[in-house]
Amino acid sequence: MDMKKYISKIVMAGLLAGGVMLSSCNDYLSVVPKGEKIPTTLADFEALLRDEYNCQRVDVLQELILLNDRYVSSSNLSYYPLYSANYNWDESADRIKLNDEDEGTYYTTYSSISTCNLIIENAASMTETTDTERKALVAQAKVLRAMNYFTLVNYYSDTYTDETAAQKGGVPVILSANINAPYTQPSVKEVYDFMLEDMEEAYNDLPEKAQTILHPDRATADAFYARLYLQMGNYDKALEYADKALEANDALFDWVDFYRQYESVIEDSTDFNTSLPSPMGFDYVENYDFRHGSTSYSTTESGLTLDRASRFEKGDARMAARWKLRDMGDVGSYYVSTMRGYFNYGGMTTVEVYFIKAECLAREGQYQEAMDLVNKVRQTRILPEVYTPLSASGTDEAVRLIIRTKANEMIQTQVPFIDARRLNAEGKYPVTLTKTVDGKTLTLSPDSHLWTMPFPQGAVKNPGNGSITQNVSK
């Protein structure tokens, strides 16, 4: 099955589950099954954007495994060779050959893009709507499409730099929901140009406040612009949009208060049966928008290795509330999740924007102002009996403190991975990871090819109406 048809089948499954069927003009079906419905109204199309399983997932599993930001059991490492290659930084492994078992990131993200394309393509024919409402929905679809391409180009392509982006291979850019639509694979620069074009076209039509947390609004766009420009190394623009986003929402969740509320359970080293309610769901005060991680249902978080847990600050109430050390006998010890609920792993949040602003200020020489922002966040995270303000003597020290704290704050999202790639490409603050396994020291160097993921075999071998070229050799 080729790429476009596979993606279309994923989209169709979600639409059928929601009671909506696409029209023949989009080449999905020529006959509408009895009892189903062709989307015609604005409400019909708007419902597609709220499809959490097919449209609102940001599945970046192999990024998390590469960073060791999630615990992977020895049985899974044995069963999934690709997991083992990334988890243990095996540069000799042929990940292209191995990547016939992990296609979730590719097809999940392109499924969401297909839904966005469907809304954009059918805008003119929507009924029961005003022009303002129609434009707003199209704008939301364009923002979401740009966010999806950002995930893809920072997963399957090398990192953006001004010097190399025009020469580096990007990801397929698909502009239609039509199964047989042709597509191209432009350069990294052209993919970024496309994302910026989508954002520019959408921005003025976005509502100040979206109808649901799944719909991007103006503040969501400001926050994403800040992330996008930071990744491009444009710190002036990143700071500009970070300020706009924080003007709309600068709330921080009080994790110290949450810790006090559940302290007896958190500190009970024998209680692994009580699940705390996740505060990071749809109504989390730090949300600009909400997007799931690899799942879209109530679940627990992935565990942490002892090494990864050790990198959190002493007294981190947020970490203590989310994971608890557990001895699993022959399996070994690791930190197990203690929460159940929903987790905003894929959306934009205020805390990320605080750190974006802090880094931009630090790079401009305003490192004390930058550390003030970091400490504002830390005061809601670090228990007061151990809290002391972080300080920096200059830009370099400030940036390193910001990145370290941000990586802990944004763990199990795509942010630590994209930050590491950006810093490695810049070369001034490179990220090197090391660990010891069975007495052997393993290292993930800043210039390793492992920082770029290979396209799945299913996409490359069956590309549909286009072609796909790998951006890594293995």
PDB file of all heavy atoms in Angstrom, residues 330-344:
ATOM      1  N   ASP A 330      14.847  -8.812  39.359  1.00  0.00           N
ATOM      2  CA  ASP A 330      15.758  -9.138  38.270  1.00  0.00           C
ATOM      3  C   ASP A 330      15.730  -8.083  37.165  1.00  0.00           C
ATOM      4  O   ASP A 330      16.716  -7.901  36.447  1.00  0.00           O
ATOM      5  CB  ASP A 330      15.402 -10.505  37.669  1.00  0.00           C
ATOM      6  CG  ASP A 330      15.662 -11.644  38.647  1.00  0.00           C
ATOM      7  OD1 ASP A 330      16.452 -11.435  39.592  1.00  0.00           O
ATOM      8  OD2 ASP A 330      15.076 -12.722  38.457  1.00  0.00           O
ATOM      9  N   VAL A 331      14.609  -7.409  37.028  1.00  0.00           N
ATOM     10  CA  VAL A 331      14.490  -6.374  35.999  1.00  0.00           C
ATOM     11  C   VAL A 331      15.325  -5.162  36.354  1.00  0.00           C
ATOM     12  O   VAL A 331      15.823  -4.439  35.490  1.00  0.00           O
ATOM     13  CB  VAL A 331      13.004  -5.972  35.819  1.00  0.00           C
ATOM     14  CG1 VAL A 331      12.864  -4.837  34.820  1.00  0.00           C
ATOM     15  CG2 VAL A 331      12.181  -7.179  35.375  1.00  0.00           C
ATOM     16  N   GLY A 332      15.524  -4.938  37.654  1.00  0.00           N
ATOM     17  CA  GLY A 332      16.293  -3.791  38.115  1.00  0.00           C
ATOM     18  C   GLY A 332      15.394  -2.694  38.654  1.00  0.00           C
ATOM     19  O   GLY A 332      14.159  -2.814  38.662  1.00  0.00           O
ATOM     20  N   SER A 333      15.993  -1.624  39.084  1.00  0.00           N
ATOM     21  CA  SER A 333      15.252  -0.495  39.636  1.00  0.00           C
ATOM     22  C   SER A 333      15.052   0.578  38.570  1.00  0.00           C
ATOM     23  O   SER A 333      15.934   0.812  37.738  1.00  0.00           O
ATOM     24  CB  SER A 333      15.995   0.100  40.833  1.00  0.00           C
ATOM     25  OG  SER A 333      16.126  -0.846  41.866  1.00  0.00           O
ATOM     26  N   TYR A 334      13.909   1.226  38.605  1.00  0.00           N
ATOM     27  CA  TYR A 334      13.660   2.382  37.756  1.00  0.00           C
ATOM     28  C   TYR A 334      12.551   3.198  38.389  1.00  0.00           C
ATOM     29  O   TYR A 334      11.914   2.775  39.358  1.00  0.00           O
ATOM     30  CB  TYR A 334      13.317   1.970  36.328  1.00  0.00           C
ATOM     31  CG  TYR A 334      11.946   1.352  36.136  1.00  0.00           C
ATOM     32  CD1 TYR A 334      10.898   2.095  35.594  1.00  0.00           C
ATOM     33  CD2 TYR A 334      11.705   0.021  36.472  1.00  0.00           C
ATOM     34  CE1 TYR A 334       9.642   1.528  35.399  1.00  0.00           C
ATOM     35  CE2 TYR A 334      10.459  -0.548  36.274  1.00  0.00           C
ATOM     36  CZ  TYR A 334       9.431   0.203  35.748  1.00  0.00           C
ATOM     37  OH  TYR A 334       8.199  -0.357  35.569  1.00  0.00           O
ATOM     38  N   TYR A 335      12.311   4.373  37.865  1.00  0.00           N
ATOM     39  CA  TYR A 335      11.264   5.249  38.386  1.00  0.00           C
ATOM     40  C   TYR A 335       9.979   5.014  37.595  1.00  0.00           C
ATOM     41  O   TYR A 335       9.949   5.193  36.378  1.00  0.00           O
ATOM     42  CB  TYR A 335      11.692   6.715  38.293  1.00  0.00           C
ATOM     43  CG  TYR A 335      12.638   7.116  39.402  1.00  0.00           C
ATOM     44  CD1 TYR A 335      13.992   6.787  39.345  1.00  0.00           C
ATOM     45  CD2 TYR A 335      12.170   7.809  40.520  1.00  0.00           C
ATOM     46  CE1 TYR A 335      14.857   7.140  40.363  1.00  0.00           C
ATOM     47  CE2 TYR A 335      13.031   8.166  41.548  1.00  0.00           C
ATOM     48  CZ  TYR A 335      14.377   7.832  41.465  1.00  0.00           C
ATOM     49  OH  TYR A 335      15.226   8.187  42.484  1.00  0.00           O
ATOM     50  N   VAL A 336       8.942   4.596  38.318  1.00  0.00           N
ATOM     51  CA  VAL A 336       7.683   4.248  37.695  1.00  0.00           C
ATOM     52  C   VAL A 336       6.710   5.414  37.798  1.00  0.00           C
ATOM     53  O   VAL A 336       6.733   6.180  38.779  1.00  0.00           O
ATOM     54  CB  VAL A 336       7.093   2.976  38.357  1.00  0.00           C
ATOM     55  CG1 VAL A 336       6.725   3.232  39.822  1.00  0.00           C
ATOM     56  CG2 VAL A 336       5.884   2.460  37.594  1.00  0.00           C
ATOM     57  N   SER A 337       5.856   5.567  36.810  1.00  0.00           N
ATOM     58  CA  SER A 337       4.861   6.631  36.806  1.00  0.00           C
ATOM     59  C   SER A 337       3.866   6.457  37.942  1.00  0.00           C
ATOM     60  O   SER A 337       3.432   5.336  38.234  1.00  0.00           O
ATOM     61  CB  SER A 337       4.110   6.648  35.474  1.00  0.00           C
ATOM     62  OG  SER A 337       3.015   7.540  35.510  1.00  0.00           O
ATOM     63  N   THR A 338       3.491   7.555  38.576  1.00  0.00           N
ATOM     64  CA  THR A 338       2.528   7.507  39.679  1.00  0.00           C
ATOM     65  C   THR A 338       1.245   8.251  39.351  1.00  0.00           C
ATOM     66  O   THR A 338       0.383   8.413  40.211  1.00  0.00           O
ATOM     67  CB  THR A 338       3.140   8.118  40.945  1.00  0.00           C
ATOM     68  OG1 THR A 338       3.550   9.460  40.676  1.00  0.00           O
ATOM     69  CG2 THR A 338       4.333   7.303  41.422  1.00  0.00           C
ATOM     70  N   MET A 339       1.112   8.719  38.105  1.00  0.00           N
ATOM     71  CA  MET A 339      -0.070   9.493  37.709  1.00  0.00           C
ATOM     72  C   MET A 339      -0.863   8.775  36.637  1.00  0.00           C
ATOM     73  O   MET A 339      -0.328   7.976  35.876  1.00  0.00           O
ATOM     74  CB  MET A 339       0.343  10.870  37.169  1.00  0.00           C
ATOM     75  CG  MET A 339       0.745  11.843  38.221  1.00  0.00           C
ATOM     76  SD  MET A 339       1.011  13.472  37.503  1.00  0.00           S
ATOM     77  CE  MET A 339       1.287  14.396  39.006  1.00  0.00           C
ATOM     78  N   ARG A 340      -2.123   9.100  36.568  1.00  0.00           N
ATOM     79  CA  ARG A 340      -2.982   8.620  35.490  1.00  0.00           C
ATOM     80  C   ARG A 340      -3.852   9.765  35.024  1.00  0.00           C
ATOM     81  O   ARG A 340      -4.338  10.567  35.824  1.00  0.00           O
ATOM     82  CB  ARG A 340      -3.861   7.451  35.951  1.00  0.00           C
ATOM     83  CG  ARG A 340      -4.792   6.921  34.841  1.00  0.00           C
ATOM     84  CD  ARG A 340      -5.440   5.620  35.226  1.00  0.00           C
ATOM     85  NE  ARG A 340      -4.494   4.523  35.279  1.00  0.00           N
ATOM     86  CZ  ARG A 340      -4.091   3.836  34.209  1.00  0.00           C
ATOM     87  NH1 ARG A 340      -4.535   4.131  33.010  1.00  0.00           N
ATOM     88  NH2 ARG A 340      -3.239   2.849  34.351  1.00  0.00           N
ATOM     89  N   GLY A 341      -4.038   9.829  33.709  1.00  0.00           N
ATOM     90  CA  GLY A 341      -4.874  10.891  33.154  1.00  0.00           C
ATOM     91  C   GLY A 341      -4.371  11.281  31.779  1.00  0.00           C
ATOM     92  O   GLY A 341      -3.845  10.459  31.028  1.00  0.00           O
ATOM     93  N   TYR A 342      -4.522  12.549  31.453  1.00  0.00           N
ATOM     94  CA  TYR A 342      -4.089  13.072  30.161  1.00  0.00           C
ATOM     95  C   TYR A 342      -2.874  13.965  30.354  1.00  0.00           C
ATOM     96  O   TYR A 342      -2.730  14.639  31.375  1.00  0.00           O
ATOM     97  CB  TYR A 342      -5.227  13.840  29.495  1.00  0.00           C
ATOM     98  CG  TYR A 342      -6.401  12.967  29.135  1.00  0.00           C
ATOM     99  CD1 TYR A 342      -7.480  12.821  30.005  1.00  0.00           C
ATOM    100  CD2 TYR A 342      -6.428  12.273  27.928  1.00  0.00           C
ATOM    101  CE1 TYR A 342      -8.557  12.005  29.681  1.00  0.00           C
ATOM    102  CE2 TYR A 342      -7.501  11.450  27.603  1.00  0.00           C
ATOM    103  CZ  TYR A 342      -8.563  11.325  28.484  1.00  0.00           C
ATOM    104  OH  TYR A 342      -9.615  10.517  28.162  1.00  0.00           O
ATOM    105  N   PHE A 343      -2.001  13.995  29.327  1.00  0.00           N
ATOM    106  CA  PHE A 343      -0.738  14.718  29.438  1.00  0.00           C
ATOM    107  C   PHE A 343      -0.507  15.513  28.154  1.00  0.00           C
ATOM    108  O   PHE A 343      -0.521  14.946  27.065  1.00  0.00           O
ATOM    109  CB  PHE A 343       0.421  13.737  29.666  1.00  0.00           C
ATOM    110  CG  PHE A 343       0.254  12.888  30.900  1.00  0.00           C
ATOM    111  CD1 PHE A 343      -0.413  11.667  30.839  1.00  0.00           C
ATOM    112  CD2 PHE A 343       0.733  13.325  32.119  1.00  0.00           C
ATOM    113  CE1 PHE A 343      -0.585  10.884  31.978  1.00  0.00           C
ATOM    114  CE2 PHE A 343       0.574  12.556  33.261  1.00  0.00           C
ATOM    115  CZ  PHE A 343      -0.088  11.329  33.196  1.00  0.00           C
ATOM    116  N   ASN A 344      -0.297  16.807  28.303  1.00  0.00           N
ATOM    117  CA  ASN A 344      -0.096  17.661  27.131  1.00  0.00           C
ATOM    118  C   ASN A 344       1.350  17.588  26.678  1.00  0.00           C
ATOM    119  O   ASN A 344       2.156  18.475  26.941  1.00  0.00           O
ATOM    120  CB  ASN A 344      -0.489  19.110  27.450  1.00  0.00           C
ATOM    121  CG  ASN A 344      -0.500  19.972  26.200  1.00  0.00           C
ATOM    122  OD1 ASN A 344      -0.318  19.493  25.081  1.00  0.00           O
ATOM    123  ND2 ASN A 344      -0.721  21.271  26.371  1.00  0.00           N
TER     124      ASN A 344
END
